[in-house]
Amino acid sequence: MSRWLGPIAMLIVTALATHWAALHYAPGVIMDRTLATLKNRGIAEHAFTTPQRITPQSQAVVRSSPDLFYSLCRYDLSTNGESSAWLDVTIGEWPEYQSLSFFDAHTNNFATIRTAGSAQKVRMISSMAAPGEDAADIVSPTLRGVVLIRRLAPTQALFEEAKAASNADSCTMVQP
Amino acid sequence: MGTALRYGLALMLGAAIGIGSMLYMAGLWPGMKPLDFGDIEVRGWRADFAIGSNAADPYTRARVARHGLLALAKSEAVYFTRTTDSSGEHLREECIYRLKVAEMPAEWWSVTLYDADSKLPMNEDEALSINADQNVFAEANEEDVGAVMTAIIAPQKPQENRLWISSRGAGNFDLTLRLYMPDEALLADPQSALEPPSVERLSCEDEA
């Protein structure tokens, strides 16, 4: 029996370590895959990509709503080894509900701005940016992530109008 | 059995138990209904108000990453999901249901149907959801009393002129109620503030 004590201890330690590791890394791995999928589907980096209306055939993300206009911008502030770059994001005017939300590389929604009826510009830096960088409205906990605009547009006509409004949206990385 | 073999077996079994227990506890085990979890339950509709917040526990975060990626925090929107009808039976494509929606404690709402993979069902019916902006009643009748909107959930468009959510191609499905810009009262006390939609099963293909 004593010759099994070591293996049993190893089993318990391995189970606990694997459980913790799988739990800890799952959101990051899932987000990593999602970013790769979005890239493969033509979602630009540092620019909003004008979307197709969400349909069963065009859905790229689980539980997307067919009643909303989604516009995505991938960001990676580590480009060229620099972490002091920032992102300037502008959301255009839209008379109905619209929001600008920020998700980090671990899927956390770390900031959301609601801007129904007006346009807004915000600056986002990464938490790894050097102290003394220009003041920012938003701080991303990670270097990579996604910015998402949602506009209420439950009909094809409203979707087309939301698409026209998106001409005023921008998502630009700026390097000092 | 040799020492190396015993340790090798322990290593493999430990890894399998670790991953399996994580998937189970996060509601990601194959066959489990991940969205049947949540810290809020109001008459068959479940929600996880921790979604999108830094307070979300790691199991919730893993589940949301897989099944509700890019969801908003509760101050902006809350998401309620149900997988069963009002009598407790699983929602499925073979049946016809009446969805009855009362006044919602939010600026805007919608109800959307998703298949077991959390995807919109692969059909071209253009009847994936209903929302607060639609006509109150396409054709009101006595069953609609007490509701601000009713709709039929079915794989075929109903003959009468009713709002319709298509379940064609969905298999077993669930419904997600989105409440945008929710009232403070809903966030504080969802049990009292929310009268969630009812989902009454009307008939099933495989029932006499």
Side-chain angles (χ1 to χ4, degrees), chain B residues 3-197:
Chain B
T3 304
L5 190 58
R6 283 198 301 276
Y7 277 95
L9 201 61
L11 201 64
M12 284 191 293
L13 200 57
I17 291 170
I19 291 172
S21 59
M22 176 269 174
L23 292 173
Y24 185 83
M25 290 175 72
L28 297 174
W29 186 259
M32 287 179 84
K33 291 282 184 188
L35 292 165
D36 233 357
F37 290 76
D39 53 357
I40 310 285
E41 200 274 337
V42 184
R43 290 177 280 285
W45 293 82
R46 280 184 181 271
D48 213 332
F49 280 11
I51 283 176
S53 76
N54 290 330
D57 68 73
Y59 297 99
T60 300
R61 285 178 50 200
R63 188 166 63 252
V64 171
R66 172 71 181 84
H67 287 277
L69 193 61
L70 308 187
L72 290 168
K74 69 178 180 181
S75 57
E76 200 65 18
V78 292
Y79 308 84
F80 282 85
T81 297
R82 75 175 300 145
T83 56
T84 58
D85 62 29
S86 296
S87 64
E89 297 289 319
H90 278 288
L91 299 169
R92 54 197 178 98
E93 182 184 351
E94 293 79 15
C95 300
I96 297 173
Y97 305 90
R98 181 191 291 116
L99 178 75
K100 199 168 165 180
V101 185
E103 197 70 48
M104 289 290 122
E107 293 286 314
W108 193 84
W109 60 266
S110 67
V111 177
T112 310
L113 186 150
Y114 295 97
D115 67 17
D117 294 326
S118 297
K119 296 283 190 70
L120 296 165
M122 199 55 78
N123 64 52
E124 296 177 347
D125 294 333
E126 297 183 7
L128 302 162
S129 67
I130 60 167
N131 65 67
D133 290 343
Q134 288 177 279
N135 289 332
V136 175
F137 289 115
E139 189 178 281
N141 60 34
E142 62 186 29
E143 283 94 18
D144 299 326
V145 173
V148 296
M149 193 181 292
T150 60
I152 296 296
I153 302 170
Q156 305 294 332
K157 187 173 183 174
Q159 291 195 335
E160 67 269 39
N161 184 24
R162 308 286 292 179
L163 290 176
W164 173 44
I165 300 177
S166 173
S167 58
R168 189 159 63 91
N172 288 345
F173 62 86
D174 63 66
L175 298 169
T176 289
L177 168 66
R178 286 180 168 82
L179 297 166
Y180 279 91
M181 295 168 281
D183 295 352
E184 283 296 325
L186 174 67
L187 301 181
D189 185 4
Q191 295 289 348
S192 305
L194 178 65
E195 179 55 48

Side-chain angles (χ1 to χ4, degrees), chain A residues 13-29:
Chain A
V13 170
T14 306
L16 290 173
T18 312
H19 183 103
W20 179 86
L23 192 60
H24 181 73
Y25 289 111
V29 169

Side-chain angles (χ1 to χ4, degrees), chain A residues 34-54 58 60-61 68-75 87-90 100 145-151 159 162-172, chain B residues 70:
Chain A
T34 301
L35 288 170
T37 303
L38 292 174
K39 182 182 179 183
N40 292 337
R41 291 196 176 221
I43 302 297
E45 191 172 76
H46 309 140
F48 280 113
T49 301
T50 306
Q52 285 183 287
R53 197 168 182 216
I54 297 292
S58 71
V61 175
L68 297 175
F69 168 99
Y70 294 96
S71 190
L72 284 157
C73 165
R74 295 184 294 120
Y75 67 85
L87 201 67
D88 279 337
V89 182
T90 302
L100 181 63
V146 172
V147 185
L148 172 59
I149 291 175
R150 284 176 167 89
R151 290 195 167 100
F159 186 85
K163 211 166 167 178
S166 73
N167 289 331
D169 302 336
S170 67
C171 179
T172 312
Chain B
L70 308 187

